[in-house]
Amino acid sequence: MKRMSIAFLILALILGVSLLNGVYLGRTARTLNILLAQSCAAVSAGNWEQAMELTTQAEDQWESQNTYHRIVLHHETTDEIETGFSEAKAYIRGEDDAEALGALEQLAERLSIMAEMEQPRLASVF
């Protein structure tokens, strides 16, 4: 009976950590997507300096938790997001509005997919 209780406790702990991770990554994606949406608006308005500041701010927030992301996410996912920031900033620097908007929207989509993939689902257990 004691072994069974320990097993259930460990299972509950894993489930709890998984849920917290999903909540944290969802919150991170929403926060960064707000900044990226503001950056898109700045690009549309031709305010390149503000677009660069907002994109850099989003990238800095992402990088501030880089170690955590590298632990809990697939490295391919983190690499794609980091590449997305680099591409978006390059297009903003070049003042290419169509490419900058495309890169920012693609980056926002990657962040949303990242958060969605980390949400615990009953289907992934069975």
Side-chain angles (χ1 to χ4, degrees):
M1 183 69 171
K2 185 177 179 180
R3 288 183 187 180
M4 189 68 108
S5 297
I6 291 172
F8 281 121
L9 182 63
I10 291 171
L11 184 60
L13 180 65
I14 291 170
L15 178 62
V17 170
S18 177
L19 290 171
L20 287 175
N21 180 58
V23 168
Y24 172 77
L25 291 174
R27 187 175 297 151
T28 297
R30 282 189 300 278
T31 300
L32 295 177
N33 281 341
I34 288 168
L35 289 169
L36 295 175
Q38 292 171 347
S39 184
C40 284
V43 166
S44 296
N47 190 342
W48 298 103
E49 187 175 311
Q50 183 184 23
M52 183 60 80
E53 287 175 14
L54 289 164
T55 304
T56 300
Q57 184 181 353
E59 182 180 34
D60 289 346
Q61 284 186 21
W62 172 261
E63 288 179 355
S64 72
Q65 297 297 319
N66 194 34
T67 302
Y68 179 78
H69 297 141
R70 292 273 175 197
I71 292 170
V72 300
L73 297 171
H74 294 281
H75 290 286
E76 182 178 298
T77 301
T78 57
D79 290 344
E80 287 176 358
I81 291 170
E82 290 167 5
T83 299
F85 277 115
S86 295
E87 289 174 352
K89 289 172 69 174
Y91 291 127
I92 291 169
R93 235 184 326 277
E95 297 186 3
D96 185 339
D97 58 345
E99 293 290 342
L101 288 171
L104 288 166
E105 290 170 2
Q106 186 176 30
L107 177 56
E109 184 64 22
R110 283 181 183 151
L111 289 164
S112 296
I113 290 170
M114 175 263 320
E116 185 179 309
M117 285 177 23
E118 295 301 316
Q119 297 302 312
R121 290 186 171 63
L122 191 58
S124 58
V125 175
F126 297 106

